[in-house]
Amino acid sequence: MAKAKLATVWLEACAGCHMSFLDVDERIVSLLEKVDIMYSPVVDSKEIPKVDVGVISGALGNDEEVHLAKKMREQCDILVAWGDCAVFGGINTMRNFMPTKEVLEKAYIDTVSTVNPKGVIPGEDIPELLPKAIPIDQVVKVDVYVPGCPPDADTILWVFQELLEGRIPKVPADMMRYD
Ligand code: SF4
């Protein structure tokens, strides 16, 4: 039987959702007997190929992330919103209470760890911020929602099992863990 093809992207997010994949530990061996990871922060590929399943972690906060989410939608038969940032916007939405100019000043000038004596905010070199951080389904159609911060390893395996058996999973409330 042909293996399912998987792509994952990491948008406006911390590493937690992708690190949670690694918590499946040795069970990843049997998963990889059925799934090929074609594109992901954990593999070295440059273009998002056509795949069966795409997983997005992270919210949308700038125009590059919107572009990547749309590309994933084009290339993936089934699109999964992975983790609270992708599903709801998550912690990224804390900046929605400030104008983007103030957000940039906080990031590039005011933060105590920033060394920026001339107070320069990069312009064309960085992707343009959206007015607000938003969940991915405000831009692309999502087929599967997996809340959690991050979703845990058992939930990851269950979701993939369901997808591999041809079902579109609906994560039950008792699996929406926040470990
Ligand atoms: S849902 Fe939580 S773990 Fe996942 S990317 Fe967002 S903040 Fe990180």
Side-chain angles (χ1 to χ4, degrees):
M1 196 173 117
K3 286 179 161 186
K5 293 183 169 53
L6 172 71
T8 79
V9 295
W10 167 355
L11 302 181
E12 194 146 305
C14 76
C17 278
H18 270 79
M19 290 303 104
S20 196
F21 276 105
L22 301 180
D23 288 340
V24 302
D25 297 326
E26 73 281 359
R27 293 174 292 177
I28 201 165
V29 175
S30 48
L31 187 61
L32 290 177
E33 285 168 2
K34 297 174 189 157
V35 174
D36 275 331
I37 303 174
M38 308 298 291
Y39 180 94
S40 170
V42 300
V43 300
D44 185 25
S45 47
K46 308 297 179 214
E47 301 287 332
I48 304 171
K50 281 270 180 206
V51 293
D52 303 299
V53 177
V55 170
I56 295 182
S57 74
L60 303 176
N62 64 42
D63 56 3
E64 184 189 19
E65 290 158 356
V66 169
H67 167 77
L68 277 168
K70 287 180 175 171
K71 190 76 190 165
M72 284 288 280
R73 183 64 276 182
E74 277 169 30
Q75 298 294 78
C76 307
D77 291 344
I78 296 168
L79 193 62
V80 181
W82 195 264
D84 280 0
C85 292
V87 173
F88 306 116
I91 194 168
N92 309 285
T93 59
M94 287 174 70
R95 70 128 160 131
N96 291 353
F97 302 97
M98 295 183 204
T100 52
K101 182 171 175 294
E102 248 178 78
V103 173
L104 290 169
E105 283 170 3
K106 284 269 176 235
Y108 288 100
I109 299 173
D110 297 342
T111 305
V112 284
S113 58
T114 302
V115 180
N116 184 0
K118 292 189 179 161
V120 175
I121 295 175
E124 293 168 2
D125 302 338
I126 59 169
E128 191 172 341
L129 279 188
L130 304 181
K132 292 183 189 307
I134 53 176
I136 64 170
D137 69 358
Q138 290 200 16
V139 170
V140 293
K141 175 178 171 284
V142 168
D143 303 299
V144 181
Y145 293 88
V146 187
C149 184
D152 70 7
D154 291 343
T155 307
I156 290 169
L157 284 172
W158 179 81
V159 166
F160 278 114
Q161 199 63 45
E162 290 291 292
L163 289 168
L164 286 166
E165 291 184 13
R167 294 187 286 270
I168 297 292
K170 282 202 170 143
V171 180
D174 63 356
M175 268 195 178
M176 294 179 195
R177 297 189 192 120
Y178 292 82
D179 294 342

PDB file of all heavy atoms in Angstrom, residues 3-32:
ATOM      1  N   LYS A   3       2.367   4.813   0.721  1.00  0.00           N
ATOM      2  CA  LYS A   3       2.380   5.606   1.954  1.00  0.00           C
ATOM      3  C   LYS A   3       1.653   6.929   1.733  1.00  0.00           C
ATOM      4  O   LYS A   3       1.695   7.490   0.620  1.00  0.00           O
ATOM      5  CB  LYS A   3       3.813   5.902   2.355  1.00  0.00           C
ATOM      6  CG  LYS A   3       4.570   4.724   2.926  1.00  0.00           C
ATOM      7  CD  LYS A   3       5.969   5.222   3.236  1.00  0.00           C
ATOM      8  CE  LYS A   3       6.715   4.374   4.189  1.00  0.00           C
ATOM      9  NZ  LYS A   3       8.004   4.967   4.562  1.00  0.00           N
ATOM     10  N   ALA A   4       1.038   7.444   2.803  1.00  0.00           N
ATOM     11  CA  ALA A   4       0.422   8.767   2.729  1.00  0.00           C
ATOM     12  C   ALA A   4       1.531   9.821   2.756  1.00  0.00           C
ATOM     13  O   ALA A   4       2.555   9.631   3.415  1.00  0.00           O
ATOM     14  CB  ALA A   4      -0.517   8.952   3.909  1.00  0.00           C
ATOM     15  N   LYS A   5       1.310  10.900   2.014  1.00  0.00           N
ATOM     16  CA  LYS A   5       2.301  11.978   1.983  1.00  0.00           C
ATOM     17  C   LYS A   5       1.850  13.112   2.896  1.00  0.00           C
ATOM     18  O   LYS A   5       0.691  13.524   2.867  1.00  0.00           O
ATOM     19  CB  LYS A   5       2.462  12.500   0.551  1.00  0.00           C
ATOM     20  CG  LYS A   5       3.092  11.482  -0.390  1.00  0.00           C
ATOM     21  CD  LYS A   5       3.288  12.090  -1.765  1.00  0.00           C
ATOM     22  CE  LYS A   5       4.134  11.222  -2.663  1.00  0.00           C
ATOM     23  NZ  LYS A   5       3.688   9.858  -2.782  1.00  0.00           N
ATOM     24  N   LEU A   6       2.811  13.606   3.699  1.00  0.00           N
ATOM     25  CA  LEU A   6       2.504  14.611   4.721  1.00  0.00           C
ATOM     26  C   LEU A   6       3.399  15.835   4.542  1.00  0.00           C
ATOM     27  O   LEU A   6       4.601  15.711   4.247  1.00  0.00           O
ATOM     28  CB  LEU A   6       2.762  14.000   6.106  1.00  0.00           C
ATOM     29  CG  LEU A   6       2.677  14.939   7.310  1.00  0.00           C
ATOM     30  CD1 LEU A   6       1.236  15.355   7.579  1.00  0.00           C
ATOM     31  CD2 LEU A   6       3.260  14.269   8.557  1.00  0.00           C
ATOM     32  N   ALA A   7       2.811  17.026   4.702  1.00  0.00           N
ATOM     33  CA  ALA A   7       3.591  18.272   4.785  1.00  0.00           C
ATOM     34  C   ALA A   7       3.187  18.993   6.056  1.00  0.00           C
ATOM     35  O   ALA A   7       2.015  18.961   6.449  1.00  0.00           O
ATOM     36  CB  ALA A   7       3.316  19.166   3.578  1.00  0.00           C
ATOM     37  N   THR A   8       4.152  19.627   6.725  1.00  0.00           N
ATOM     38  CA  THR A   8       3.805  20.431   7.901  1.00  0.00           C
ATOM     39  C   THR A   8       4.503  21.782   7.790  1.00  0.00           C
ATOM     40  O   THR A   8       5.622  21.861   7.284  1.00  0.00           O
ATOM     41  CB  THR A   8       4.229  19.761   9.232  1.00  0.00           C
ATOM     42  OG1 THR A   8       5.636  19.944   9.453  1.00  0.00           O
ATOM     43  CG2 THR A   8       3.902  18.291   9.273  1.00  0.00           C
ATOM     44  N   VAL A   9       3.815  22.841   8.228  1.00  0.00           N
ATOM     45  CA  VAL A   9       4.472  24.153   8.316  1.00  0.00           C
ATOM     46  C   VAL A   9       4.260  24.743   9.695  1.00  0.00           C
ATOM     47  O   VAL A   9       3.289  24.440  10.383  1.00  0.00           O
ATOM     48  CB  VAL A   9       3.992  25.166   7.246  1.00  0.00           C
ATOM     49  CG1 VAL A   9       4.351  24.731   5.848  1.00  0.00           C
ATOM     50  CG2 VAL A   9       2.524  25.474   7.381  1.00  0.00           C
ATOM     51  N   TRP A  10       5.164  25.617  10.031  1.00  0.00           N
ATOM     52  CA  TRP A  10       5.210  26.250  11.352  1.00  0.00           C
ATOM     53  C   TRP A  10       5.111  27.744  11.094  1.00  0.00           C
ATOM     54  O   TRP A  10       6.051  28.343  10.603  1.00  0.00           O
ATOM     55  CB  TRP A  10       6.529  25.831  11.969  1.00  0.00           C
ATOM     56  CG  TRP A  10       7.030  26.511  13.189  1.00  0.00           C
ATOM     57  CD1 TRP A  10       6.508  27.588  13.839  1.00  0.00           C
ATOM     58  CD2 TRP A  10       8.213  26.131  13.906  1.00  0.00           C
ATOM     59  NE1 TRP A  10       7.276  27.906  14.915  1.00  0.00           N
ATOM     60  CE2 TRP A  10       8.331  27.028  14.981  1.00  0.00           C
ATOM     61  CE3 TRP A  10       9.169  25.138  13.747  1.00  0.00           C
ATOM     62  CZ2 TRP A  10       9.392  26.958  15.897  1.00  0.00           C
ATOM     63  CZ3 TRP A  10      10.209  25.074  14.653  1.00  0.00           C
ATOM     64  CH2 TRP A  10      10.316  25.963  15.713  1.00  0.00           C
ATOM     65  N   LEU A  11       3.945  28.319  11.354  1.00  0.00           N
ATOM     66  CA  LEU A  11       3.736  29.740  11.062  1.00  0.00           C
ATOM     67  C   LEU A  11       3.961  30.550  12.339  1.00  0.00           C
ATOM     68  O   LEU A  11       4.979  30.365  13.002  1.00  0.00           O
ATOM     69  CB  LEU A  11       2.347  29.951  10.434  1.00  0.00           C
ATOM     70  CG  LEU A  11       2.118  29.147   9.146  1.00  0.00           C
ATOM     71  CD1 LEU A  11       0.750  29.402   8.559  1.00  0.00           C
ATOM     72  CD2 LEU A  11       3.204  29.414   8.113  1.00  0.00           C
ATOM     73  N   GLU A  12       3.020  31.456  12.686  1.00  0.00           N
ATOM     74  CA  GLU A  12       3.277  32.314  13.856  1.00  0.00           C
ATOM     75  C   GLU A  12       3.023  31.494  15.127  1.00  0.00           C
ATOM     76  O   GLU A  12       1.876  31.301  15.514  1.00  0.00           O
ATOM     77  CB  GLU A  12       2.364  33.532  13.806  1.00  0.00           C
ATOM     78  CG  GLU A  12       2.792  34.614  14.763  1.00  0.00           C
ATOM     79  CD  GLU A  12       2.510  35.978  14.184  1.00  0.00           C
ATOM     80  OE1 GLU A  12       2.983  36.268  13.067  1.00  0.00           O
ATOM     81  OE2 GLU A  12       1.800  36.754  14.832  1.00  0.00           O
ATOM     82  N   ALA A  13       4.098  31.007  15.708  1.00  0.00           N
ATOM     83  CA  ALA A  13       3.952  29.998  16.746  1.00  0.00           C
ATOM     84  C   ALA A  13       5.267  29.815  17.487  1.00  0.00           C
ATOM     85  O   ALA A  13       6.308  30.260  17.023  1.00  0.00           O
ATOM     86  CB  ALA A  13       3.573  28.670  16.096  1.00  0.00           C
ATOM     87  N   CYS A  14       5.198  29.130  18.605  1.00  0.00           N
ATOM     88  CA  CYS A  14       6.427  28.651  19.229  1.00  0.00           C
ATOM     89  C   CYS A  14       6.712  27.262  18.642  1.00  0.00           C
ATOM     90  O   CYS A  14       5.989  26.777  17.778  1.00  0.00           O
ATOM     91  CB  CYS A  14       6.272  28.577  20.749  1.00  0.00           C
ATOM     92  SG  CYS A  14       5.309  27.181  21.341  1.00  0.00           S
ATOM     93  N   ALA A  15       7.744  26.617  19.141  1.00  0.00           N
ATOM     94  CA  ALA A  15       8.114  25.302  18.601  1.00  0.00           C
ATOM     95  C   ALA A  15       7.250  24.178  19.166  1.00  0.00           C
ATOM     96  O   ALA A  15       7.336  23.041  18.717  1.00  0.00           O
ATOM     97  CB  ALA A  15       9.580  25.020  18.918  1.00  0.00           C
ATOM     98  N   GLY A  16       6.408  24.505  20.158  1.00  0.00           N
ATOM     99  CA  GLY A  16       5.751  23.464  20.935  1.00  0.00           C
ATOM    100  C   GLY A  16       4.972  22.448  20.121  1.00  0.00           C
ATOM    101  O   GLY A  16       5.046  21.244  20.384  1.00  0.00           O
ATOM    102  N   CYS A  17       4.213  22.924  19.145  1.00  0.00           N
ATOM    103  CA  CYS A  17       3.379  21.976  18.390  1.00  0.00           C
ATOM    104  C   CYS A  17       4.238  21.003  17.595  1.00  0.00           C
ATOM    105  O   CYS A  17       3.919  19.816  17.524  1.00  0.00           O
ATOM    106  CB  CYS A  17       2.420  22.743  17.473  1.00  0.00           C
ATOM    107  SG  CYS A  17       0.957  23.327  18.345  1.00  0.00           S
ATOM    108  N   HIS A  18       5.314  21.496  16.990  1.00  0.00           N
ATOM    109  CA  HIS A  18       6.173  20.571  16.250  1.00  0.00           C
ATOM    110  C   HIS A  18       6.976  19.677  17.203  1.00  0.00           C
ATOM    111  O   HIS A  18       7.181  18.500  16.926  1.00  0.00           O
ATOM    112  CB  HIS A  18       7.094  21.320  15.283  1.00  0.00           C
ATOM    113  CG  HIS A  18       6.470  21.503  13.922  1.00  0.00           C
ATOM    114  ND1 HIS A  18       5.536  22.478  13.677  1.00  0.00           N
ATOM    115  CD2 HIS A  18       6.608  20.816  12.765  1.00  0.00           C
ATOM    116  CE1 HIS A  18       5.130  22.378  12.420  1.00  0.00           C
ATOM    117  NE2 HIS A  18       5.770  21.380  11.841  1.00  0.00           N
ATOM    118  N   MET A  19       7.383  20.227  18.343  1.00  0.00           N
ATOM    119  CA  MET A  19       8.111  19.399  19.315  1.00  0.00           C
ATOM    120  C   MET A  19       7.221  18.279  19.839  1.00  0.00           C
ATOM    121  O   MET A  19       7.695  17.189  20.161  1.00  0.00           O
ATOM    122  CB  MET A  19       8.605  20.259  20.493  1.00  0.00           C
ATOM    123  CG  MET A  19       9.706  21.225  20.153  1.00  0.00           C
ATOM    124  SD  MET A  19      11.170  20.437  19.457  1.00  0.00           S
ATOM    125  CE  MET A  19      11.019  20.814  17.740  1.00  0.00           C
ATOM    126  N   SER A  20       5.924  18.550  19.911  1.00  0.00           N
ATOM    127  CA  SER A  20       5.005  17.547  20.426  1.00  0.00           C
ATOM    128  C   SER A  20       4.986  16.296  19.535  1.00  0.00           C
ATOM    129  O   SER A  20       4.733  15.188  20.011  1.00  0.00           O
ATOM    130  CB  SER A  20       3.605  18.154  20.542  1.00  0.00           C
ATOM    131  OG  SER A  20       2.796  17.368  21.347  1.00  0.00           O
ATOM    132  N   PHE A  21       5.270  16.482  18.227  1.00  0.00           N
ATOM    133  CA  PHE A  21       5.392  15.309  17.349  1.00  0.00           C
ATOM    134  C   PHE A  21       6.461  14.352  17.890  1.00  0.00           C
ATOM    135  O   PHE A  21       6.318  13.137  17.797  1.00  0.00           O
ATOM    136  CB  PHE A  21       5.822  15.727  15.933  1.00  0.00           C
ATOM    137  CG  PHE A  21       4.683  16.158  15.054  1.00  0.00           C
ATOM    138  CD1 PHE A  21       4.477  17.486  14.761  1.00  0.00           C
ATOM    139  CD2 PHE A  21       3.833  15.217  14.494  1.00  0.00           C
ATOM    140  CE1 PHE A  21       3.439  17.885  13.937  1.00  0.00           C
ATOM    141  CE2 PHE A  21       2.789  15.608  13.674  1.00  0.00           C
ATOM    142  CZ  PHE A  21       2.588  16.950  13.397  1.00  0.00           C
ATOM    143  N   LEU A  22       7.536  14.945  18.415  1.00  0.00           N
ATOM    144  CA  LEU A  22       8.641  14.096  18.876  1.00  0.00           C
ATOM    145  C   LEU A  22       8.261  13.311  20.132  1.00  0.00           C
ATOM    146  O   LEU A  22       8.881  12.301  20.454  1.00  0.00           O
ATOM    147  CB  LEU A  22       9.887  14.942  19.134  1.00  0.00           C
ATOM    148  CG  LEU A  22      10.387  15.727  17.915  1.00  0.00           C
ATOM    149  CD1 LEU A  22      11.629  16.531  18.260  1.00  0.00           C
ATOM    150  CD2 LEU A  22      10.684  14.793  16.744  1.00  0.00           C
ATOM    151  N   ASP A  23       7.222  13.784  20.836  1.00  0.00           N
ATOM    152  CA  ASP A  23       6.788  13.064  22.039  1.00  0.00           C
ATOM    153  C   ASP A  23       6.119  11.732  21.719  1.00  0.00           C
ATOM    154  O   ASP A  23       5.790  10.979  22.633  1.00  0.00           O
ATOM    155  CB  ASP A  23       5.814  13.920  22.865  1.00  0.00           C
ATOM    156  CG  ASP A  23       6.526  15.068  23.556  1.00  0.00           C
ATOM    157  OD1 ASP A  23       7.754  14.984  23.713  1.00  0.00           O
ATOM    158  OD2 ASP A  23       5.843  16.043  23.930  1.00  0.00           O
ATOM    159  N   VAL A  24       5.887  11.462  20.455  1.00  0.00           N
ATOM    160  CA  VAL A  24       5.337  10.121  20.150  1.00  0.00           C
ATOM    161  C   VAL A  24       6.408   9.059  20.367  1.00  0.00           C
ATOM    162  O   VAL A  24       6.126   7.862  20.355  1.00  0.00           O
ATOM    163  CB  VAL A  24       4.738  10.022  18.721  1.00  0.00           C
ATOM    164  CG1 VAL A  24       3.642  11.052  18.509  1.00  0.00           C
ATOM    165  CG2 VAL A  24       5.797  10.122  17.648  1.00  0.00           C
ATOM    166  N   ASP A  25       7.657   9.522  20.565  1.00  0.00           N
ATOM    167  CA  ASP A  25       8.781   8.618  20.878  1.00  0.00           C
ATOM    168  C   ASP A  25       8.897   7.480  19.858  1.00  0.00           C
ATOM    169  O   ASP A  25       8.795   7.725  18.679  1.00  0.00           O
ATOM    170  CB  ASP A  25       8.656   8.072  22.319  1.00  0.00           C
ATOM    171  CG  ASP A  25       8.741   9.215  23.336  1.00  0.00           C
ATOM    172  OD1 ASP A  25       9.478  10.184  23.067  1.00  0.00           O
ATOM    173  OD2 ASP A  25       8.057   9.139  24.351  1.00  0.00           O
ATOM    174  N   GLU A  26       9.055   6.252  20.345  1.00  0.00           N
ATOM    175  CA  GLU A  26       9.333   5.136  19.423  1.00  0.00           C
ATOM    176  C   GLU A  26       8.140   4.815  18.524  1.00  0.00           C
ATOM    177  O   GLU A  26       8.300   4.151  17.488  1.00  0.00           O
ATOM    178  CB  GLU A  26       9.788   3.885  20.190  1.00  0.00           C
ATOM    179  CG  GLU A  26       8.699   3.158  20.952  1.00  0.00           C
ATOM    180  CD  GLU A  26       8.340   3.817  22.275  1.00  0.00           C
ATOM    181  OE1 GLU A  26       8.958   4.854  22.634  1.00  0.00           O
ATOM    182  OE2 GLU A  26       7.413   3.321  22.940  1.00  0.00           O
ATOM    183  N   ARG A  27       6.973   5.346  18.886  1.00  0.00           N
ATOM    184  CA  ARG A  27       5.794   5.069  18.042  1.00  0.00           C
ATOM    185  C   ARG A  27       5.913   5.739  16.675  1.00  0.00           C
ATOM    186  O   ARG A  27       5.182   5.442  15.747  1.00  0.00           O
ATOM    187  CB  ARG A  27       4.521   5.522  18.764  1.00  0.00           C
ATOM    188  CG  ARG A  27       4.231   4.682  20.000  1.00  0.00           C
ATOM    189  CD  ARG A  27       3.054   5.209  20.797  1.00  0.00           C
ATOM    190  NE  ARG A  27       3.346   6.496  21.416  1.00  0.00           N
ATOM    191  CZ  ARG A  27       2.460   7.204  22.118  1.00  0.00           C
ATOM    192  NH1 ARG A  27       1.242   6.743  22.287  1.00  0.00           N
ATOM    193  NH2 ARG A  27       2.795   8.362  22.648  1.00  0.00           N
ATOM    194  N   ILE A  28       6.879   6.668  16.557  1.00  0.00           N
ATOM    195  CA  ILE A  28       7.085   7.323  15.257  1.00  0.00           C
ATOM    196  C   ILE A  28       7.546   6.316  14.202  1.00  0.00           C
ATOM    197  O   ILE A  28       7.313   6.493  13.003  1.00  0.00           O
ATOM    198  CB  ILE A  28       8.083   8.506  15.376  1.00  0.00           C
ATOM    199  CG1 ILE A  28       7.878   9.453  14.183  1.00  0.00           C
ATOM    200  CG2 ILE A  28       9.531   8.029  15.431  1.00  0.00           C
ATOM    201  CD1 ILE A  28       8.508  10.811  14.344  1.00  0.00           C
ATOM    202  N   VAL A  29       8.187   5.222  14.648  1.00  0.00           N
ATOM    203  CA  VAL A  29       8.697   4.232  13.701  1.00  0.00           C
ATOM    204  C   VAL A  29       7.527   3.589  12.940  1.00  0.00           C
ATOM    205  O   VAL A  29       7.527   3.515  11.706  1.00  0.00           O
ATOM    206  CB  VAL A  29       9.539   3.165  14.427  1.00  0.00           C
ATOM    207  CG1 VAL A  29       9.956   2.067  13.465  1.00  0.00           C
ATOM    208  CG2 VAL A  29      10.757   3.818  15.070  1.00  0.00           C
ATOM    209  N   SER A  30       6.492   3.167  13.687  1.00  0.00           N
ATOM    210  CA  SER A  30       5.358   2.534  12.980  1.00  0.00           C
ATOM    211  C   SER A  30       4.572   3.571  12.189  1.00  0.00           C
ATOM    212  O   SER A  30       4.025   3.261  11.124  1.00  0.00           O
ATOM    213  CB  SER A  30       4.466   1.768  13.948  1.00  0.00           C
ATOM    214  OG  SER A  30       4.171   2.550  15.056  1.00  0.00           O
ATOM    215  N   LEU A  31       4.549   4.828  12.671  1.00  0.00           N
ATOM    216  CA  LEU A  31       3.866   5.875  11.896  1.00  0.00           C
ATOM    217  C   LEU A  31       4.584   6.096  10.561  1.00  0.00           C
ATOM    218  O   LEU A  31       3.953   6.205   9.505  1.00  0.00           O
ATOM    219  CB  LEU A  31       3.830   7.179  12.713  1.00  0.00           C
ATOM    220  CG  LEU A  31       3.027   8.334  12.133  1.00  0.00           C
ATOM    221  CD1 LEU A  31       1.544   7.956  11.983  1.00  0.00           C
ATOM    222  CD2 LEU A  31       3.157   9.590  12.988  1.00  0.00           C
ATOM    223  N   LEU A  32       5.905   6.121  10.610  1.00  0.00           N
ATOM    224  CA  LEU A  32       6.674   6.375   9.381  1.00  0.00           C
ATOM    225  C   LEU A  32       6.660   5.190   8.411  1.00  0.00           C
ATOM    226  O   LEU A  32       7.090   5.318   7.270  1.00  0.00           O
ATOM    227  CB  LEU A  32       8.120   6.781   9.724  1.00  0.00           C
ATOM    228  CG  LEU A  32       8.233   8.158  10.372  1.00  0.00           C
ATOM    229  CD1 LEU A  32       9.671   8.462  10.759  1.00  0.00           C
ATOM    230  CD2 LEU A  32       7.692   9.264   9.472  1.00  0.00           C
TER     231      LEU A  32
END
